[in-house]
Amino acid sequence: MLKEIKSHKDLKVWQESMSLVLTIYKLSEKFPYHETYGLTSQLRRASVSIPSNIAEGAGRRGEKEFIRFLYIALGSLSEIETQLEIAYRLNYIEEIEEINKSIYFIRKMLANLIKSLK
């Protein structure tokens, strides 16, 4: 499977996670200024971590290493889900249903990719 990948950019899960990064950045622009170094920063770093780990894992030599980086991406996805819930409860965002659909879709793709590599 890994040899079939020409570039991490060819992976649908990488493309979707890049879209999630843009969504998170736009969404977090509306957070209060006092969250700049708190929730805003955490959310943005976690979102960037997902496509970054997919790319790094795809660039490694073996499938075992790739799987490890995909699990790290899954962890970052869960981190985002939690941080969005916090932002929602603090009334920084009004609705999280659509972004949660995107998170679920990416989680499913990551799980399927891991399964196919095993």
Side-chain angles (χ1 to χ4, degrees), residues 1-2 5 7-22 46-58 66-67 69-77 80 101-117:
M1 167 72 180
L2 194 55
I5 300 169
S7 168
H8 59 275
K9 293 179 181 181
D10 296 332
L11 295 169
K12 178 80 170 151
V13 68
W14 181 85
Q15 296 165 8
E16 290 295 323
S17 63
M18 287 295 288
S19 294
L20 179 64
V21 171
L22 298 178
S47 70
V48 168
S49 175
I50 297 166
S52 298
N53 277 294
I54 294 167
E56 186 170 355
F66 191 13
I67 290 168
F69 281 93
L70 293 175
Y71 276 119
I72 294 168
L74 273 173
S76 296
L77 199 57
I80 289 169
K101 286 178 185 176
S102 178
I103 289 168
Y104 175 77
F105 184 57
I106 293 169
R107 180 177 288 119
K108 194 172 178 178
M109 285 191 291
L110 283 169
N112 287 336
L113 182 54
I114 290 168
K115 185 191 267 187
S116 74
L117 291 169

Side-chain angles (χ1 to χ4, degrees), residues 54-67:
I54 294 167
E56 186 170 355
R60 297 291 177 134
R61 291 179 185 233
E63 291 178 354
K64 198 172 189 178
E65 278 190 284
F66 191 13
I67 290 168

Side-chain angles (χ1 to χ4, degrees), residues 30-43:
K30 300 171 187 167
F31 287 8
Y33 180 76
H34 67 269
E35 286 292 355
T36 301
Y37 302 106
L39 198 52
T40 303
S41 177
Q42 281 290 115
L43 252 173

